[in-house]
Amino acid sequence: MLSYRRSRALGWLSTRRIVFFAFVMLTALVLRVMDVNPAVAQSRSVTAWKVAESPGLDPDSPIWDEITALTIPLTAQQVTAPVGGGTVPSVRVSAAHHDQTLYVNIEWTDTTLDDGSGAPEEFADAVAIQIPAEHGAAVPAVCMGQADGAVNIWQWRADRQHGLDQLGKGSDFVDLYPNTDELFYPAQRAGNALATPGAEVVQNLVASGFGTLEPASLGVVAGQGRHLDSQWRAVFARPFPAQDDFQPTFKAGVEFDVAFAVWDGRRADRDGQKSVSSFVRLKVSDKTAAQPTTGGSEGGSSTGWLIVLTAAILGFGAYAVFIFLIPKPAPSKEDAV
Amino acid sequence: MAQVHNWQLGRDMRYRFEPGKPERQFAAVFNINRCIACQTCTMACKSTWTHSPGQELMWWNNVETKPYGGYPDHWDVKTLALLDEANPGGQVWDGDPVENVRAPYGRFDGQTVFEAADGLTQEAVGYLPEEREWKAPNRFEDHATKFPAAGVSLPEHDGWFFYLARICNHCTYPACLAACPRNAIYKRPKDGIVLVDQERCRGYRKCVEACPYKKTMYRPTTRTTEKCIGCYPRVEGEDPLTQGLPMEPRCMAACVGKIRMHGLVNVEADGTWTNDPTHPLYYLVHEEQVALPLYPQFGTQPNIYYIPPRWVPRDYLRQMFGPGVDQAIERYTRPSRTLLALLQLFRASQRIIYSFDVEEGPKVGELVVGGEVIEMFNDTAVGFDESGGEIVRVDVEEPIFERPGKLNSI
Ligand code: SF4
Ligand code: SF4
């Protein structure tokens, strides 16, 4: 216990104190730089504020500027084959609701735009939201749900959006094969929504375990994406009332679980080869956001620094309690030597 | 993960699913010695199944010139290289061909595409060919390895090439099926034909990556993968021509070179073929062992068998068809009476032959093969349908008709 004696001798400027103070500040700083909020790490949540005007499907609607996004880390999917992904570190998610419709805006970094699936080796960028199909039941496995716990998945794919944008603009294929009808598109004939021209950009799907993904009701989820300056943004919109048994009904004042997944087409991400989050809370707020609104429970820059300060003060408080209130043990013989 | 028996490898191996025993297995024998690369088979398939938007690069049946040709480019060399990388120097066979339906070519000691895979990113070792690799199915057509000034002669030509006609092998342990994370690929219990469920497929192309023969193909206009369907409506007897009786696929029935014999064989629960020497395919594959699987070491237990080309260097052929090559060429070169007769049944009828018989005929001549005298008999091969009804009969000696000059109006 020599150091103890020394610290007593050196008073408030003891090495221990300086090191401790530096440690607290450093930890807080690191958390800040890494954009990690210890409070949110325990219960991350995205708040869908009530907004006065509809943000529509425009990912760049000014309404989104008013709502601060929550950064949610993604990791490689490692649970089932084929494993993969992990190249997109996070998504920034903001949410709002207007006139009984939920809007979710997801932004992520992807330096390459991959909106084609025209070549055998081409895969499209994509993003998906997953929500337990039954609200209030036990939270299903975050990986595609389970037999007794289905999950509702909305997937936006860049190639579908690209395809829809091209519709009606003339197609080489049609000119080359004027008399081809649906008979010669077996996937289309079989009712595969992915193969149906003009179908929706966002697919509404349901899964209850690996490899069980199935289409659910059509015409339920709308969406739109755009790529600008190495950033994808995709907006999803879904009316509050459920259209079938495979999706929850949204309600202001109620919390839901949501998870996110991103596919990077350039890296041949598809299926389980994706970057995934764990479940976070989606709070559908009954409040109109105050100015400036914050989308996530995690704050923006000012909140961030507030955390640094709070952490520092708390740290010092704890240290003071340790120093002054906890009785020191009586020095033993060895200590005295 | 299950342990299954792969008789082509003479051992058990790891596969994702327990084996299911189809009532019958779609199979065929292609006699490479007869193929003239006319591509009639290719066009028969194309004009039936893959003539629509998005199928431009799709050739469920293709005929490539070996050793340089390949569709997609160098598919076999690339897969062999991946396996060699996974198991350097270890891709070897042990033993010689014997008459044993569970291990007719000895034992393969190397790794299959399944065994070499990590099971996490891939169920089977493979790669995804790029668009340009699918674009030139005829590249290197008729390219010989060299043109020796002195000419060539048997048993092995110094400069050589041969045509390899390929379709999906409707494998017993399909890599495409094992690789599909959505279980959108299935093997029909009725006839072992392997199909992609077009409703479930989401175009992930794990099957394209996994199939060592590269016989699943992506279709951008439907964002799904399509593959050879074994002309299943014909096999089911849907074609009005045969009035409900099973019929050969288009590529088989169209074959100008008469290289193809198609059929449905009976199989056992362990994937081996039920002993039946009256079945033409069983006879060729197991009795005579003249027809061999293509790259059996891949481990999918493919169901298209090849009578190897007589003039090609054996080490090349052994890599392609396994250790049975020397014996197969030997037996094909000096065929037994039954084999010679059966070879005439190839492409003699569009209807599927379930059994055959040989009626003995008179001796018609002698041939000298490799210094040995072979007697030739004008035997008659007879093909029967499933219920034993006669479909077709063919003599060893082809009948010759001479048209009288005065009727020649050309
Ligand atoms: S050849 Fe390829 S596509 Fe055909 S069954 Fe085998 S693995 Fe599947
Ligand atoms: S039709 Fe027959 S002979 Fe012609 S290329 Fe095809 S397999 Fe060869």
Side-chain angles (χ1 to χ4, degrees):
Chain A
M1 301 290 281
L2 272 175
S3 58
Y4 173 68
R5 290 180 159 205
R6 256 179 64 218
S7 75
R8 291 273 292 172
L10 291 171
W12 274 101
L13 279 175
S14 76
T15 324
R16 230 159 58 126
R17 246 178 241 143
I18 292 166
V19 167
F20 185 78
F21 180 63
F23 172 74
V24 170
M25 289 309 288
L26 200 69
T27 311
L29 197 70
V30 166
L31 291 178
R32 172 68 201 134
V33 169
M34 289 177 65
D35 220 6
V36 174
N37 177 345
V40 171
Q42 286 154 23
S43 68
R44 282 175 188 283
S45 56
V46 178
T47 304
W49 298 103
K50 189 171 177 175
V51 288
E53 267 177 64
S54 165
L57 294 180
D58 178 7
D60 294 316
S61 158
I63 291 175
W64 296 115
D65 297 338
E66 308 291 314
I67 299 175
T68 311
L70 171 70
T71 299
I72 300 167
L74 305 180
T75 54
Q77 190 282 119
Q78 306 268 28
V79 180
T80 191
V83 300
T87 55
V88 181
S90 61
V91 281
R92 294 169 291 284
V93 181
S94 32
H97 66 93
H98 173 80
D99 196 16
Q100 297 288 296
T101 297
L102 175 73
Y103 296 86
V104 181
N105 190 342
I106 308 177
E107 187 183 49
W108 72 100
T109 305
D110 186 344
T111 51
T112 53
L113 167 101
D114 296 287
D115 62 357
S117 55
E121 73 279 17
E122 257 179 16
F123 294 92
D125 295 330
V127 64
I129 301 180
Q130 175 185 277
I131 308 167
E134 194 185 343
H135 180 248
V139 182
V142 71
C143 304
M144 310 303 285
Q146 64 216 32
D148 59 353
V151 287
N152 179 210
I153 292 169
W154 314 339
Q155 192 197 39
W156 173 89
R157 256 172 66 162
D159 60 334
R160 283 194 69 81
Q161 168 135 4
H162 182 74
L164 281 183
D165 292 348
Q166 296 304 310
L167 266 189
K169 292 187 185 166
S171 151
D172 291 350
F173 284 143
V174 176
D175 304 332
L176 273 173
Y177 303 87
N179 299 317
T180 303
D181 69 18
E182 194 202 77
L183 173 67
F184 300 114
Y185 293 86
Q188 198 176 317
R189 184 78 165 227
N192 187 331
L194 210 62
T196 309
E200 304 152 301
V201 171
V202 174
Q203 292 181 79
N204 181 40
L205 306 153
V206 61
S208 45
F210 301 125
T212 63
L213 193 68
E214 295 276 357
S217 305
L218 292 174
V220 174
V221 190
Q224 195 173 310
R226 69 104 178 100
H227 192 262
L228 191 72
D229 298 336
S230 297
Q231 305 294 321
W232 267 117
R233 266 192 191 187
V235 167
F236 294 81
R238 210 209 81 182
F240 277 5
Q243 310 286 309
D244 58 38
D245 291 344
F246 306 118
Q247 52 188 241
T249 287
F250 294 115
K251 198 170 174 236
V254 179
E255 291 188 13
F256 298 83
D257 294 288
V258 280
F260 303 89
V262 171
W263 291 263
D264 181 0
R266 187 58 56 105
R267 295 186 178 261
D269 278 1
R270 74 274 202 193
D271 187 48
Q273 294 167 265
K274 61 189 170 187
S275 302
V276 288
S277 82
S278 46
F279 273 124
V280 300
R281 301 292 276 172
L282 170 72
K283 296 180 181 168
V284 183
S285 173
D286 45 11
K287 295 194 179 58
T288 307
Q291 289 292 335
T293 49
T294 47
S297 304
E298 182 188 33
S301 55
S302 56
T303 327
W305 289 111
L306 207 65
I307 295 164
V308 176
L309 209 63
T310 316
I313 292 166
L314 282 178
F316 258 115
Y319 187 68
V321 167
F322 177 73
I323 293 293
F324 298 111
L325 300 183
I326 297 173
K328 289 179 279 291
S332 67
K333 255 192 186 155
E334 292 92 289
D335 282 334
V337 174
Chain B
M1 205 54 70
Q3 282 294 113
V4 297
H5 183 72
N6 185 323
W7 63 261
Q8 295 176 354
L9 305 183
R11 65 172 172 88
D12 288 359
M13 64 163 204
R14 186 165 63 87
Y15 187 65
R16 183 172 159 210
F17 297 107
E18 293 289 343
K21 179 183 128 43
E23 281 167 47
R24 301 219 186 225
Q25 173 61 52
F26 178 106
V29 168
F30 291 5
N31 183 355
I32 294 178
N33 298 276
R34 285 181 177 173
C35 181
I36 55 172
C38 64
Q39 306 281 6
T40 312
C41 48
T42 308
M43 291 316 297
C45 176
K46 183 80 163 140
S47 59
T48 310
W49 302 116
T50 64
H51 50 68
S52 296
Q55 296 178 313
E56 293 81 358
L57 305 182
M58 215 181 256
W59 302 91
W60 293 352
N61 182 107
N62 79 291
V63 183
E64 56 204 43
T65 300
K66 288 297 179 196
Y68 303 124
Y71 165 79
D73 293 348
H74 314 301
W75 61 275
D76 49 350
V77 180
K78 288 187 171 188
T79 303
L80 289 168
L82 286 173
L83 286 168
D84 202 51
E85 201 178 296
N87 186 22
Q91 298 295 89
V92 291
W93 290 84
D94 183 15
D96 287 318
V98 283
E99 256 185 56
N100 173 356
V101 286
R102 279 178 67 85
Y105 319 122
R107 184 193 149 92
F108 178 61
D109 283 339
Q111 291 184 351
T112 64
V113 289
F114 307 111
E115 290 159 342
D118 60 13
L120 288 171
T121 56
Q122 292 185 322
E123 282 294 335
V125 159
Y127 72 100
L128 191 63
E130 292 179 7
E131 186 172 56
R132 60 177 171 76
E133 297 174 71
W134 297 100
K135 275 188 164 169
N138 281 15
R139 183 174 292 159
F140 300 116
E141 191 168 79
D142 290 354
H143 275 50
T145 50
K146 59 180 159 179
F147 295 95
V152 291
S153 58
L154 288 171
E156 280 183 22
H157 288 186
D158 198 12
W160 57 273
F161 69 87
F162 67 92
Y163 304 122
L164 186 69
R166 304 201 300 119
I167 65 168
C168 163
N169 291 286
H170 297 281
C171 305
T172 302
Y173 306 115
C176 58
L177 185 154
C180 179
R182 292 183 53 66
N183 298 342
I185 302 186
Y186 61 105
K187 189 166 173 65
R188 302 210 311 176
K190 194 189 176 85
D191 46 27
I193 289 176
V194 176
L195 296 174
V196 179
D197 180 339
Q198 289 298 311
E199 194 193 344
R200 283 196 63 70
C201 177
R202 286 178 64 82
Y204 296 148
R205 287 159 267 175
K206 292 305 282 183
C207 58
V208 184
E209 198 176 299
C211 169
Y213 302 96
K214 297 294 168 246
K215 280 297 176 187
T216 54
M217 295 153 202
Y218 178 66
R219 180 172 182 183
T221 48
T222 57
R223 300 192 181 92
T224 56
T225 293
E226 295 181 351
K227 67 178 286 299
C228 162
I229 59 169
C231 285
Y232 72 80
R234 286 168 65 98
V235 172
E236 286 173 5
E238 291 283 313
D239 192 305
L241 198 65
T242 50
Q243 295 168 339
L245 290 171
M247 199 176 183
E248 289 185 329
R250 292 273 288 133
C251 60
M252 317 269 182
C255 179
V256 171
K258 298 192 174 195
I259 87 155
R260 300 180 180 217
M261 163 74 77
H262 169 259
L264 298 166
V265 294
N266 285 317
V267 290
E268 300 295 317
D270 67 357
T272 55
W273 288 18
T274 306
N275 187 314
D276 180 8
T278 68
H279 195 288
L281 299 183
Y282 184 92
Y283 184 84
L284 293 163
V285 172
H286 284 293
E287 287 289 307
E288 291 274 359
Q289 298 188 357
V290 287
L292 304 167
L294 176 65
Y295 292 115
Q297 66 269 43
F298 290 166
T300 63
Q301 204 173 296
N303 286 300
I304 308 297
Y305 296 81
Y306 293 85
I307 303 181
R310 293 190 293 153
W311 60 92
V312 174
R314 304 299 188 256
D315 51 354
Y316 184 86
L317 293 178
R318 276 183 220 115
Q319 171 174 268
M320 188 171 265
F321 301 110
V325 161
D326 303 78
Q327 176 186 274
I329 292 179
E330 171 61 27
R331 292 189 178 171
Y332 178 71
T333 309
R334 296 175 185 76
S336 67
R337 272 179 85 162
T338 310
L339 176 58
L340 188 62
L342 177 55
L343 288 169
Q344 315 313 314
L345 267 188
F346 279 57
R347 257 309 293 120
S349 165
Q350 297 207 64
R351 284 170 53 187
I352 294 178
I353 298 173
Y354 286 79
S355 62
F356 79 106
D357 194 12
V358 178
E359 293 173 3
E360 293 199 347
K363 179 173 165 178
V364 287
E366 286 179 352
L367 278 178
V368 181
V369 178
E372 232 178 84
V373 177
I374 295 180
E375 293 182 304
M376 273 189 65
F377 298 86
N378 191 19
D379 296 336
T380 302
V382 189
F384 303 98
D385 64 18
E386 196 174 2
S387 51
E390 185 177 318
I391 298 176
V392 66
R393 57 174 54 227
V394 197
D395 294 342
V396 168
E397 259 201 332
E398 275 191 52
I400 297 171
F401 301 98
E402 273 183 40
R403 188 162 52 177
K406 66 177 166 108
L407 288 182
N408 194 340
S409 57
I410 297 170

